[in-house]
């Protein structure tokens, strides 16, 4: 039985667990709707796709490029014909927004989203505002400033930021708010076309490992001093209390992110792989086993997969077990990650 904090090579997994067996039937094909090509989640699943046959002959995952997790939730909720063979990259906040009809992302509540079940946690995320302007210390200083973010189809890069700025009454006082794209918003700030940009980081739950997307390096390469905007945790908690949104308050020690010289607080989320409740239990079980077994090996080839320790993947199964797909929960129990 695998225990937390294990590290091993693919060959060791196969020998120890007997994962490779003679094929008796074609593996079940699973589409995983993820994110734009080149993004961390897409590349991690694409790597899993390439190595899956080393671990199982039961399922065959396929990474599918999409505009982002917000798009994924809306699309799956509206396509019942996909519910039995499709998983999606998703998040706690975006699924809540779909169920509750948070405009403009979900003009009406999507009833099918209330039947989504979590397969596992992709990562613990932090959404950050960043600027070169030393006068911008907090979100209250955004008045008459130009803000650039990622795409609004991306929950971590654009949707969350707009939700918060709208709720705090800050959006109406901005000089501009432009959803440019994850790389493009940082380029705009460097070029002087905006005053404030946004970044999104993926970590495990104790922040012992953090993946930074390419725009972090673009910002660092500019050679200009920048800082992350500290967000008052009371403002985040106020939004959570008023709406029930499952945002996280992320207080991150100095040195965790590139160029971070001081402790910073901002809002965050748990990124997920999710399914509709009608996704077959056996297929969910086999996919979750594949994810747990292959994660450490895939981490040798894909940066975001370095986060895929068993404890990270199974975090929600321990903290919110009612949200987990029964097939995935069966795998977590079998692996000793959740008590019976």
């Amino acid at each position: 039985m695998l225990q937390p904090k294990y590290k091993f090579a693919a060959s060791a997994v196969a020998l120890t667990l007997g994962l490779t067996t003679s094929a008796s039937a074609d593996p079940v094909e699973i589409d995983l709707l993820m994110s734009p090509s080149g993004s961390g989640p897409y590349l991690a699943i694409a790597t899993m796709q390439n190595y899956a046959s080393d671990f199982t002959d039961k399922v065959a995952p396929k990474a599918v490029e999409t505009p982002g997790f917000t798009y994924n939730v809306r699309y799956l909720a509206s396509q019942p014909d996909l519910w039995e063979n499709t998983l999606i990259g998703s998040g706690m906040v975006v699924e809540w927004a779909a169920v509750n009809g948070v405009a403009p992302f979900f003009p009406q509540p999507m009833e099918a989203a209330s039947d989504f079940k979590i397969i596992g946690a992709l990562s613990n995320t932090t959404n950050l505002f960043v600027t070169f302007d030393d006068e911008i210390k907090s979100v209250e200083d955004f008045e008459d400033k130009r803000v650039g973010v990622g795409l609004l189809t991306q929950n971590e890069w654009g949707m969350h930021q707009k939700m918060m700025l709208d709720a705090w009454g800050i959006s109406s006082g901005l000089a501009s708010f432009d959803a440019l794209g994850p790389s493009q918003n940082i380029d705009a700030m460097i070029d002087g076309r905006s005053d404030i940009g946004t970044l999104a980081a993926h970590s495990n739950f104790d922040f012992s490992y953090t993946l930074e997307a390419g725009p972090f390096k673009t910002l660092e390469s500019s050679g200009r001093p920048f800082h992350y905007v500290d967000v008052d945790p009371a403002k985040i908690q106020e939004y959570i209390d008023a709406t029930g949104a499952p945002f996280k308050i992320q207080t991150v020690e100095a040195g965790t992110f590139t160029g971070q010289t001081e402790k910073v607080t901002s809002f965050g989320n748990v990124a997920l792989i999710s399914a509709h409740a009608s996704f077959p239990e056996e297929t969910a079980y086999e996919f979750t086993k594949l994810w747990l077994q292959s994660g450490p090996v895939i981490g040798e080839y894909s940066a975001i997969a370095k986060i895929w320790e068993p404890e990270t993947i199974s975090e929600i199964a321990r903290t919110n077990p009612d949200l987990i797909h029964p097939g995935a929960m069966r795998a977590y129990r079998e692996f000793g990650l959740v008590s019976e």
Side-chain angles (χ1 to χ4, degrees), residues 16 19 34 112 132-133 140 169 174 181-182 223 253 295 299 325:
T16 304
L19 299 177
M34 296 307 295
F132 295 124
D133 189 341
E140 284 79 10
L174 298 175
E253 296 298 325
H325 192 289

Side-chain angles (χ1 to χ4, degrees), residues 222-260:
S222 73
R224 298 168 59 185
F226 63 89
H227 68 273
Y228 301 99
V229 178
D230 199 58
V231 181
D232 183 352
K235 293 183 73 67
I236 306 171
Q237 190 63 55
E238 179 183 339
Y239 184 89
I240 294 169
D241 291 344
T243 65
F247 276 108
K248 299 186 71 176
I249 299 173
Q250 303 284 41
T251 299
V252 186
E253 296 298 325
T256 301
F257 306 131
T258 294
Q260 183 195 356

Side-chain angles (χ1 to χ4, degrees), residues 272-339:
L272 309 170
I273 291 180
S274 292
H276 190 269
S278 59
F279 190 82
E281 180 175 335
E282 191 66 20
T283 307
Y285 167 71
E286 293 293 346
F287 174 81
T288 306
K289 286 202 305 179
L290 167 63
W291 193 3
L292 292 168
Q293 292 159 353
S294 66
V297 178
I298 296 171
E300 297 176 13
Y301 306 99
S302 175
I304 195 172
K306 292 182 186 297
I307 299 166
W308 288 353
E309 297 174 328
E311 301 95 323
T312 297
I313 296 170
S314 59
E315 173 74 10
I316 305 302
R318 290 184 295 278
T319 59
N320 291 280
D322 292 346
L323 303 180
I324 299 293
H325 192 289
M329 184 61 82
R330 177 153 62 100
Y332 294 135
R333 288 181 174 137
E334 182 178 298
F335 277 68
L337 295 163
V338 176
S339 60

Side-chain angles (χ1 to χ4, degrees), residues 2 23 35 55 106-107 151 216:
L2 294 181
S35 47
F55 298 90
F106 302 96
L151 302 176
F216 280 86

Side-chain angles (χ1 to χ4, degrees), residues 31 44 46 58 70 74-75 101 109 124 132 147 151 157 186 192 218 227 246 256 263 271 301 306 308 336:
D31 287 336
K58 303 295 186 184
T70 308
R74 185 187 306 113
Y75 188 71
N124 172 43
F132 295 124
V147 175
L151 302 176
W157 287 91
I186 296 300
T218 301
H227 68 273
T256 301
K263 181 185 294 187
Y301 306 99
K306 292 182 186 297
W308 288 353

Side-chain angles (χ1 to χ4, degrees), residues 54-92:
D54 292 345
F55 298 90
T56 182
D57 59 3
K58 303 295 186 184
V59 293
K62 182 176 71 174
V64 179
E65 179 185 1
T66 75
F69 287 7
T70 308
Y71 169 91
N72 295 349
V73 170
R74 185 187 306 113
Y75 188 71
L76 186 65
S78 63
Q79 301 292 325
D81 58 317
L82 301 181
W83 290 351
E84 293 191 2
N85 69 346
T86 303
L87 301 175
I88 60 170
S90 183
M92 298 287 283

